[in-house]
Amino acid sequence: MTKDILIVDDAENIVISLEFLMKKEGFNVRVASDGDAALQAMRDHVPDLVLLDVMMPKRDGYEVCQTIKASAEWQKTRIIMLTAKSRDVEREKGLAMGADDYITKPFATRELVAKVRKILKIDKG
Amino acid sequence: MSNRRKFWALFAVFMMLTLATFTWLFIEAYVAMPQVDSGTLSWFKHYSGFVVAAIFILLLILAQIWSWLEKSLIEPASKLERQTSIIANIASDHHIDIGSGHWFGELPDTVQKLGDSLSKTRREVREALATGAHGVERLEMVIKKLKTGIIVCDGEARILLYNSAVQDIFSGHNMGLGLDRSLYGLLTRLPVETTINHLLEEQNSSTAKKIEEASFYCSIAKSDILLDCTLALLPDHNINQSMFVMTLADVTRNMEALQRKDRLIRNSLDKFSSPMANIRAAAENLVSHPDIDVQTRDSFHKIISQEVATLSDLFYMASKEAQSIASGHWMLRDTNTSDLFLMLDRHLNKSGGPKVVMGGEPRWIQADATALLMALESVIFNIAQKSGCQTITIESLIGDALVYLDLTWSGEPIPAATVELWQKQAIIGGGDMTLGEVVERHGGAIWSQKHRCDGQSILRIPVPISTRQWQQPKEEIPERPEFYDFSRRDSTKELGRLAASSLSDLTFVVFDTETTGLNPSGGDEIISIAGVRIVNGRILTGEIFKELVDPGLPIPKSSTKIHGISNAMVAGAPGIDTVLPRFKEFTAGAVLVAHNAAFDMRFLQLKEESSGVWFDNPVLDTLLLSVYLHEDVIDHTLDGIAGRLGVEVQDRHTALGDAMVTAQAFLKLLKLLKNKGVTSLGLAIEASENMIQIRKQQEKARY
C-alpha cells in the first residue's frame, strides 16, 4: 500500500527537493506552502506522515502540529518536524507539541529517508 | 577691682578708721577738758606727745605688716593669677615667675607642670589634626580623581559620599544624586538590599571565614544603564543595619556587545540552516539520482545557485556585524593619541632613538596603550633603520570607523614582504609579543604606501576609534567641599519623632516659585520653581533644583515685568505635572522652607490631584520665624529680613535667586532661634503656629 506524505514548507527550494526525494521513495506526495493550507490538505485527505517545517508565516509548525495531534480523526498521522533551530529547546518544544520525530536543517537526505521509513514502519529494501 | 587694690583699700579704710577714732577721742577729750580735774589735765598735757607718737608707731607697724602681706601673699597671688590666665588662654608654654618669698609653696611649680602638659597636649593635638587633615585631603583627592564610581551610604542607604565618577555615571539621571539622599532614588532597590542583607547575615553568622564584599549587577532606576557594583559593609555597632561602601562601573556597553555577539551567533545559526538544507538536499538528490530528467536537474541547479547567493549575503552581513561588535576589544581602553604620542616621544628620547614629530589633531582611540606604545617604538626603529631617516612624523587621521596612526618619513615605502617580516618579530620590551599580535589586537592590518607629498612614504596602523571622540567633554565639577558629609547623625523617619529632631540635624529644601499671578485658586499657575538643599547647616550649591514650567496659559505682561519670564522662555518647557514629581524627588526626606510658604504650598497643593504628587513634608516659613524673632519689627519682607540679617541679595525675583536669599536668611534665623532656645523642629513649628494665631488676631482687631 502506497503511503501518503504531506510536505509543509514555505520555502520552495526545499519543497522541490523533498518532493523529488519522497516520490523517488515511492510515496504519494502532496505539498502545502503554509499552515492553513496544510490543515486544509489534512481535511481533504488524511496523510500517513507530515513533514512539517517549523518556521512558517502565519501559522507556524508548532501550532499546526498541536492542531493535528489534538484532533481525534488525525490521530494516526505521524509528524516529522523540520527545524532550522539548532537549539535543544526548539526540538523539545516540537516533541512536546506532539511531533513523532524531528530533523534539523541542514540534514542528509539519506537520514531523512531513514527516519521516514522508520516512522512509517517500512522495511529497508 | 584687683585683689591688690582691695587689699590696699582695706588698709586705707583701716587707717582712716583708726585715725578717725583717735581724732574723735581727742575731740571728746578736749570738749570734756574744763570738767576734768587739773591733775588729769596736767597728766594729759604731759603725756599727749607720747600718745600721739604711740599712735604713729602703731600705724607704722600696721603699714609694715600690710606691705609684708602684700609682698608675700597679694602680689604673688595676682602674678600667679595673671600668669595662669596666660597659660590657660594665650601661651600654655609660658614660664611662671612670681619671685621668691611667697607663701604658695609648690603651687607655682604645679601650675607650671600643668601648663607644660597642656602645652604638650595642644601641640600633639595640633600635629595629629594636621596629619589627619592632610590625610583627609589626600584621600579626598584620590576619591575625587578615581575613575571608578564610589558611593558611601549610612545604614538607611542615605548617601554620605560620592565622587565625580558617580556623577558621570548618573549625569542625565542625576535628579536623585546628592548628599543625604536615598541611594534607592538612583538604583533599583532589590539587588542592593539583598546584597546588604546577605552580607549582614554573613557578618552575624558564626562561620570562621566571612564574606566581606559582594558583586552584583544593578540598573539605574528608570533607565537601561547597567552597573557592575561591588558592595562592602563598613564596621558599625549596629548589627541590623550598617554603613556601606559601593563601587560602580557602567558596563552597559560591554553587556550590549556581549548580547549582540550572542544574538549574532544565534541568528546566524538559524538563518544559515535553511539555505544550507536546501543546497544539501538538492545536491544530494543530484548525486544520488544521476538519471533524472533535464528539467528536474535544472531546477536543482537553480536551487543550488540561488541558495548559495543567499548564503553569501547572509555571510557578508554576519561578518559586518561581527566587526562592529566591540566585545573583541574588551582589553582595549579609551586612549587619547596625544598622550600616546607624548609617551612615545619620551621613550624614544630616553633610548636615544629616532626623533618623532607629532602632528594632527588628538583623537580618542581604543587601545592597549602599553602594547601599542611598544609596537610603535619598534616600528619607528625599524623604519629609521630601513630608510636611514632619523626624523619621523607621527599623526592620527580619522577614518570611517577607524583612526589611522600614520608614521611619515622621507623615502620609499617599506615593501610588503618586509612589513610582513617585522610583524613576526618580537617588539621592544614586549617579551614574546610580536608586532603582528599587537596589530591583530587593534584591528588586524598594517601597511606602507606612498605619501601624497612627493618623496615621502607612510606606514599606516589602523586602530579602532573610541566613542569618546564624539562625546562632549564632561563638565568639571566645581571644587566644593561638600561632596561628602559624614557628620550627619541618623535622622528619624517618622514625623512624630521628627518633631524632636534638632534643627541642626535636619535636611532642608529652601524653595521658591514664580507664578503667573498672585491668585492660586483663581487659575494662576507656576512658571518656575527652584530649590536648594541645606544639609548640616551648609547650603549645597552643587545640588540645585531649577526648572521652568510651561503654565499652559499666556503669562500676563505685568507678571513678566516682575520675574522676567516670557512666554517664549517657557515654550517647550515641561508642564507642572512633569516637574512636580521631579521636585518631589528632590525634596524627599527634607523639611520644606519658603518665604511666605503658605503661598507656594497653596500652588503645590492645588496640583496634587493632577500631578499625583503629595508634599507632606514638614514646612517652615522664614516670614513667620522672622515675626517670632523680631516681633517689634514691621518689615518682614524677604528684602527686609535679608537687609536686617546682612544677607547679600542677588538675582531677586528669579526662583533660584530668591531661594538662595531665603536659604541664607534661614540659616541666620536658625542661629537666632537656637539662642532663643528653639532647637527642635517641633518647637520651631509651634513658634510659627503661634505667630499665625497672633497675626490672625491682629487682622481681626483691625476690623
Side-chain angles (χ1 to χ4, degrees), chain B residues 669-700:
Chain B
L669 290 172
L670 276 186
K671 272 189 199 149
L672 296 175
L673 284 171
K674 199 176 168 191
N675 293 344
K676 260 198 152 180
V678 179
T679 49
S680 74
L681 178 65
L683 289 174
I685 288 178
E686 203 183 297
S688 307
E689 274 169 3
N690 287 341
M691 287 310 109
I692 298 177
Q693 294 306 320
I694 290 172
R695 287 229 136 186
K696 273 185 184 162
Q697 280 161 11
Q698 283 173 346
E699 293 280 312
K700 264 189 204 162

Side-chain angles (χ1 to χ4, degrees), chain B residues 393-609:
Chain B
T393 306
I394 184 160
E395 61 183 323
S396 48
L397 296 171
I398 201 155
D400 196 6
L402 297 166
V403 169
Y404 299 114
L405 303 183
D406 282 359
L407 298 166
T408 313
W409 67 94
S410 323
E412 289 303 304
I414 313 288
T418 311
V419 176
E420 196 65 28
L421 192 70
W422 289 355
Q423 291 205 52
K424 294 198 176 93
Q425 292 167 357
I427 53 175
I428 301 169
D432 290 340
M433 207 193 305
T434 64
L435 175 61
E437 278 168 24
V438 179
V439 168
E440 185 60 41
R441 197 182 290 183
H442 288 88
I446 171 172
W447 67 87
S448 179
Q449 66 186 64
K450 271 192 186 303
H451 194 262
R452 54 181 190 279
C453 299
D454 267 352
Q456 297 206 319
S457 300
I458 61 169
L459 186 119
R460 178 161 275 189
I461 306 170
V463 292
I465 201 164
S466 156
T467 48
R468 274 174 78 167
Q469 195 66 48
W470 303 282
Q471 277 167 10
Q472 293 295 318
K474 292 249 166 64
E475 261 182 62
E476 285 284 312
I477 352 171
E479 290 291 326
R480 56 194 169 84
E482 65 258 30
F483 85 111
Y484 67 81
D485 186 357
F486 283 113
S487 55
R488 68 167 290 279
R489 283 180 227 138
D490 287 336
S491 60
T492 42
K493 275 175 189 163
E494 300 84 357
L495 198 71
R497 284 167 67 199
L498 207 60
S501 296
S502 160
L503 285 170
S504 53
D505 285 349
L506 288 165
T507 297
F508 300 94
V509 165
V510 186
F511 77 105
D512 185 52
T513 59
E514 298 296 330
T515 57
T516 55
L518 300 176
N519 192 355
S521 42
D524 277 326
E525 297 282 350
I526 293 174
I527 48 177
S528 167
I529 184 161
V532 291
R533 283 162 56 81
I534 294 179
V535 178
N536 274 342
R538 288 193 315 214
I539 300 174
L540 302 189
T541 46
E543 291 170 23
I544 280 172
F545 185 94
K546 186 182 158 197
E547 291 273 2
L548 281 176
V549 182
D550 184 355
L553 56 96
I555 303 170
K557 280 214 176 98
S558 53
S559 97
T560 299
K561 260 187 208 161
I562 296 173
H563 45 61
I565 298 171
S566 64
N567 286 315
M569 285 164 75
V570 295
I576 191 73
D577 293 345
T578 316
V579 173
L580 279 191
R582 286 189 216 157
F583 187 60
K584 172 80 187 171
E585 255 176 68
F586 182 75
T587 60
V591 176
L592 291 178
V593 180
H595 190 73
N596 193 8
F599 177 79
D600 303 272
M601 289 310 291
R602 182 83 186 116
F603 273 101
L604 298 185
Q605 278 154 7
L606 282 172
K607 293 294 164 196
E608 282 179 350
E609 284 286 328

